[in-house]
Amino acid sequence: WLLFAIADGDLPLSQLYTIVTLQGMFAAVQVPAIAAVTYEQAAEGELDKANGLKELMFPIASVLAPFLAGMLYAPVGLPGIILIDLLTFAAAVAGTLLLPISVETRRREADGASDAKGLWAQAFQGFAYIFRQKGLLALVIYMAWWNLQLNGPLELAIPHLLARTGSDRLTSLLLGAMNAGALCGALLVISGLTFRKRLIPMFVGSLLTAVMFVIFGFAANDWLLGVSILLLMVPLPMTGALFSSFIQVNVPGHLHGRVFAAVGQLYALTAPLSFIVTGPLVDRWLEPGLQDR
């Protein structure tokens, strides 16, 4: 759709909104499905590595995608880039269809689905399970709160760096350090770093991110800005990978998709709420307060 619209030279804003909305709807299904299938494909001792590899995709895309898009734009143009994207998507679909999902897994999923009668009952089954498990509920609330705290402030990294450095080039380098931090965090998990108790490194990582966020906010030195933004990003993919592993190990297999979908819905609520709160907070209170000093 997007390819044909751009090739035709006419892409109304309403169509772009529709495409993005459909993309979000399919992602809401894709993300919990990936988390559920990961448990089927990886041995329990390899779950952290498998989830770390999943967390690695975003920082790699953040580093490589702009570079590849810039290299390809001149020879093939925007329609060519979208066509390449479609071809890679087809390759990903083909690989997914070849994944060995056992008959026993399908039988367990069918039995688990029959526990809740009706589509709506099954849709809320993940939430029901989380609310019955008080420890899991506390962890999910903690992760949702952390998601609320992070998303909005992280979006302010670019204007903050531009204001501190006054240089587009230096800001780009510091954003590279930011992506490198996320890359290092995922690589630490993939490299074989194991955790007997997953919750402890999750909480320690959250503390490190919080401290580095404060340092990043007050830093005036370019090197300190780079080190702090790199270190604040390192725990994030580690925490995401360990949280996924924790759910996969402690939640019955036939409920993985429902529980991950429930968690994803909480994230989908807290992320935009973080943006809604952060923008007015900065514009109406923080920035004027700093200018008065």
Side-chain angles (χ1 to χ4, degrees), residues 55-69 155 172 175-183 233:
E55 294 290 333
L56 186 65
M57 293 187 295
F58 180 76
I60 283 183
S62 298
V63 172
L64 291 182
F67 171 75
L68 291 176
E155 286 297 313
S172 298
L175 289 175
M178 181 178 177
N179 287 321
L183 198 64
M233 291 298 295

Side-chain angles (χ1 to χ4, degrees), residues 276-292:
I276 292 171
V277 171
T278 302
L281 184 65
V282 171
D283 289 342
R284 298 180 183 178
W285 185 57
L286 293 178
E287 192 171 3
L290 290 173
Q291 290 175 352
D292 292 339

Side-chain angles (χ1 to χ4, degrees), residues 156-168 171 219-220 222 225 287:
L156 298 176
I158 294 177
H160 177 73
L161 289 172
L162 285 171
R164 288 293 192 189
T165 65
S167 167
D168 294 345
T171 295
D222 296 340
L225 282 170
E287 192 171 3

Side-chain angles (χ1 to χ4, degrees), residues 160-232:
H160 177 73
L161 289 172
L162 285 171
R164 288 293 192 189
T165 65
S167 167
D168 294 345
R169 181 176 177 275
L170 188 53
T171 295
S172 298
L173 292 174
L174 291 173
L175 289 175
M178 181 178 177
N179 287 321
L183 198 64
C184 290
L187 287 174
L188 282 175
V189 182
I190 295 173
S191 65
L193 184 64
T194 57
F195 305 94
R196 282 178 42 192
K197 295 183 178 180
R198 294 183 174 95
L199 295 182
I200 293 176
M202 287 172 61
F203 294 141
V204 172
S206 299
L207 180 61
L208 175 62
T209 294
V211 171
M212 289 300 108
F213 236 131
V214 174
I215 295 175
F216 177 68
F218 285 99
N221 180 275
D222 296 340
W223 283 103
L224 189 56
L225 282 170
V227 171
S228 60
I229 199 171
L230 186 147
L231 291 179
L232 77 84

Side-chain angles (χ1 to χ4, degrees), residues 32-277:
I34 291 174
V37 170
T38 300
Y39 182 75
E40 168 69 15
Q41 301 298 313
E44 186 169 324
E46 301 293 321
L47 276 177
D48 290 345
K49 291 183 181 179
N51 288 312
L53 186 61
K54 182 181 66 176
E55 294 290 333
L56 186 65
M57 293 187 295
F58 180 76
I60 283 183
S62 298
V63 172
L64 291 182
F67 171 75
L68 291 176
M71 292 289 292
L72 293 171
Y73 185 79
V76 302
L78 188 55
I81 292 176
I82 296 176
L83 180 59
I84 293 172
D85 186 51
L86 288 174
L87 293 175
T88 56
F89 171 75
V93 170
T96 302
L97 293 176
L98 294 175
L99 289 176
I101 305 296
S102 68
V103 175
E104 178 64 20
T105 299
R106 294 192 184 98
R107 187 188 65 78
R108 289 200 310 267
E109 291 172 348
D111 292 343
S114 65
D115 293 341
K117 305 299 182 182
L119 179 61
W120 283 107
Q122 292 181 32
F124 286 98
Q125 202 173 5
F127 285 104
Y129 181 84
I130 291 173
F131 277 98
R132 287 198 304 268
Q133 308 295 322
K134 302 305 179 185
L136 179 60
L137 176 61
L139 180 60
V140 169
I141 291 175
Y142 170 80
M143 293 298 293
W145 173 255
W146 195 233
N147 195 49
L148 176 68
Q149 295 295 308
L150 283 177
N151 277 277
L154 279 177
E155 286 297 313
L156 298 176
I158 294 177
H160 177 73
L161 289 172
L162 285 171
R164 288 293 192 189
T165 65
S167 167
D168 294 345
R169 181 176 177 275
L170 188 53
T171 295
S172 298
L173 292 174
L174 291 173
L175 289 175
M178 181 178 177
N179 287 321
L183 198 64
C184 290
L187 287 174
L188 282 175
V189 182
I190 295 173
S191 65
L193 184 64
T194 57
F195 305 94
R196 282 178 42 192
K197 295 183 178 180
R198 294 183 174 95
L199 295 182
I200 293 176
M202 287 172 61
F203 294 141
V204 172
S206 299
L207 180 61
L208 175 62
T209 294
V211 171
M212 289 300 108
F213 236 131
V214 174
I215 295 175
F216 177 68
F218 285 99
N221 180 275
D222 296 340
W223 283 103
L224 189 56
L225 282 170
V227 171
S228 60
I229 199 171
L230 186 147
L231 291 179
L232 77 84
M233 291 298 295
V234 169
L236 299 187
M238 294 179 61
T239 300
L242 295 176
F243 179 62
S244 295
S245 298
F246 183 88
I247 291 180
Q248 289 160 344
V249 170
N250 292 281
V251 173
H254 68 275
L255 288 176
H256 281 174
R258 294 170 175 81
V259 170
F260 277 110
V263 172
Q265 289 304 306
L266 290 176
Y267 284 0
L269 288 173
T270 54
L273 182 60
S274 180
F275 301 139
I276 292 171
V277 171

